[in-house]
Amino acid sequence: MYGDDDPGGWDENAERPYFFLSYAHVPRSRTGGAGDPNQWVNRLFNDLCDEVLHLTDLRGGAPVGFMDQSMHQGQLWAERLSQELASCRVFVPLYSPRYFTSVACGQEWHSFVQRPVFPERQSTERPTGIVPVLWIPMSDHQLPEVARQLQFNHRGFGPDYEAEGLYALMRLGYFRRAYELAVHRLAERIVDVAASTVIPPGRPLDFQAQPSAFPTPRTRQLRISVLSYPQAEVPEGRNPDYYGPQPTDWRPYQPASSRPLADHAARVARQLGFEPSVHAYEDEAEAILAEGPPTAPGLLLLDRWALRDETRRAAVVDFDRRNPSWVSVLEPWNSTDPDCVADGEALTELSARTLRSQHRDSRPSFHGSPAELGSLEEFEAALPRAVMRAKYAFEESSRPPSGQGNQPDGTGGPGSARPSLRRAFESPSSAREEPPPRRPWSRDDRDSDQSRYHEEDDSPPGIAFGGGEL
């Protein structure tokens, strides 16, 4: 866990900062607004240091707190952060929407909570070394799990602080006294936590190698899957120029765009605030068609030419039978592609027969002729509605089922088939055979690269780690 280049840990003769102020850097506006947008955090830091000095017996020149006042990256920057996070007594995060999307802030939080926290006196309660601040007011559902677990009480900081957040109290002169009260109470809380807990210094971690404590919420993920051909498998009579080495390289809107269609979809998804990932449908089929709640909203980009391949058409039939409402389907179609013009009517009929059980009144992308998505502009205009429809259905389907058998989310009950498209591709003759049951994706599979906070906790009563587990 710890860096091998610092086996001795913190120098016992060195002064330890009382607190580490963790905040999300605000970039400068393109309009070139006056001043540094982070000046308000700088002011808070200085005011907080003054208050802590008045409430303690720290000698002059001793480090009261630490705040990263630069946006420099690199080894020296990371080493300094690691040293401060390994030695500070209290961790003070400034809650804001930007904070919980910052990878660096998530790494700071994760690094701090690796250190054990003991109560000063024996207690059965789990202590915490984190004192959060409402920089911008946020409701509980906006917080990641690690922040919700703290259950921190902000009432003592004053009603204006709870309603407006510390940033507003600083900006508006009307709230001057409310700001001074909030800062004083915050300093009291920092000093109290430092006095009531023992958080031994640790060895600095390799900061840049640490995961973020704030994983992307499942509702903000979007799994984009592409059902098409790799160029090597394009059927006879189909122009291979619209395909690439992988199915995800399908680019139906040439010559208007030579970029893979999935790249366009991912770009629009990011504009909507999602974290997209792109996959070949054969790699997604088992998870999409598995029993149980879905893992994330999805978007299926379906190449109608793929329906002429028996194995791929069987995969779409299985998808249609399962009818996962949290996966929106779009069938892009190039109205200037000579092959599409010549075979358009036949492929439209084939699509209608293959997707016959889809509820077309809830699947606008299936309505009418393929010319509705006949250009890249029409495709990108249809994307936001398809993505948000998948998100809403995912949220509905993720709720615990109310009974057995067919569920409102379309799981189909315990008897639903769980075919594997990858297995079908390996053995076309058995494309419709049911594969052996396999464990569906789980949260642990999906988040294996994220830190899990001491789920197997065999520590003695009264010990926690930096964040505490309430």
Side-chain angles (χ1 to χ4, degrees), residues 174-213:
Y174 174 80
F175 291 116
R176 177 181 176 183
R177 292 188 178 181
Y179 168 73
E180 293 173 349
L181 172 64
V183 172
H184 178 73
R185 294 285 170 80
L186 175 58
E188 286 184 324
R189 189 70 62 92
I190 291 171
V191 172
D192 178 67
V193 168
S196 61
T197 59
V198 176
I199 309 179
R203 294 172 183 166
L205 304 175
D206 181 357
F207 179 78
Q208 293 175 313
Q210 301 309 303
S212 171

Side-chain angles (χ1 to χ4, degrees), residues 116-444:
V117 181
F118 302 88
E120 178 65 33
R121 295 179 178 81
Q122 187 171 3
S123 171
T124 58
E125 295 182 0
R126 286 178 175 267
T128 176
I130 297 179
V131 177
V133 177
L134 295 179
W135 186 243
I136 304 294
M138 299 183 66
S139 58
D140 191 64
H141 78 274
Q142 293 178 287
L143 303 178
E145 182 63 24
V146 291
R148 286 198 299 269
Q149 288 177 349
L150 291 177
Q151 300 179 351
F152 191 83
N153 186 351
H154 296 271
R155 292 191 184 92
F157 290 17
D160 291 328
Y161 165 83
E162 279 194 282
E164 306 292 340
L166 203 53
Y167 174 66
L169 302 192
M170 298 181 72
R171 291 293 308 271
L172 304 176
Y174 174 80
F175 291 116
R176 177 181 176 183
R177 292 188 178 181
Y179 168 73
E180 293 173 349
L181 172 64
V183 172
H184 178 73
R185 294 285 170 80
L186 175 58
E188 286 184 324
R189 189 70 62 92
I190 291 171
V191 172
D192 178 67
V193 168
S196 61
T197 59
V198 176
I199 309 179
R203 294 172 183 166
L205 304 175
D206 181 357
F207 179 78
Q208 293 175 313
Q210 301 309 303
S212 171
F214 315 139
T216 303
R218 290 191 298 164
T219 55
R220 305 314 302 177
Q221 298 175 20
L222 181 70
R223 301 188 70 86
I224 301 172
S225 52
V226 181
L227 181 53
S228 185
Y229 296 104
Q231 194 173 58
E233 298 180 23
V234 172
E236 185 177 355
R238 176 63 176 139
N239 187 343
D241 292 343
Y242 295 95
Y243 301 88
Q246 303 297 326
T248 52
D249 295 319
W250 177 41
R251 40 185 184 269
Y253 292 117
Q254 289 204 84
S257 173
S258 59
R259 292 176 56 192
L261 185 68
D263 287 357
H264 290 282
R267 178 179 59 81
V268 174
R270 283 190 289 269
Q271 291 173 349
L272 296 172
F274 289 85
E275 291 291 338
S277 57
V278 176
H279 315 267
Y281 180 74
E282 63 185 87
D283 298 328
E284 292 287 279
E286 186 170 356
I288 292 174
L289 305 179
E291 299 172 9
T295 58
L299 176 69
L300 172 58
L301 305 180
L302 174 62
D303 179 6
R304 285 182 173 175
W305 289 95
L307 299 178
R308 287 188 169 178
D309 176 81
E310 181 179 349
T311 300
R312 290 176 172 85
R313 185 169 184 270
V316 177
V317 169
D318 289 334
F319 176 90
D320 181 63
R321 184 182 300 117
R322 176 70 170 82
N323 191 23
S325 61
W326 57 91
V327 180
S328 289
V329 182
L330 291 178
E331 298 179 78
W333 189 261
N334 188 345
S335 59
T336 65
D337 177 357
D339 293 348
C340 292
V341 173
D343 291 53
E345 185 175 345
L347 289 173
T348 298
E349 288 185 14
L350 181 58
S351 174
R353 292 198 307 271
T354 306
L355 297 164
R356 64 178 62 186
S357 67
Q358 294 287 339
H359 301 292
R360 301 192 179 204
D361 57 344
S362 64
R363 299 275 183 173
S365 62
F366 292 146
H367 282 297
S369 70
E372 292 181 3
L373 299 181
S375 68
L376 180 60
E377 291 75 15
E378 292 173 346
F379 170 74
E380 292 191 344
L383 268 172
R385 180 174 61 177
V387 170
M388 296 307 295
R389 184 169 62 246
K391 176 183 183 292
Y392 300 148
F394 170 75
E395 292 170 344
E396 180 68 25
S397 300
S398 299
R399 297 174 185 173
S402 57
Q404 300 296 324
N406 291 329
Q407 304 300 338
D409 63 358
T411 57
S416 299
R418 298 165 58 190
S420 169
L421 183 56
R422 181 179 293 281
R423 184 181 297 275
F425 282 151
E426 292 172 353
S427 179
S429 61
S430 60
R432 295 182 179 274
E433 294 179 5
E434 182 177 347
R438 288 180 60 186
R439 179 171 62 91
W441 287 355
S442 68
R443 182 180 180 88
D444 286 348

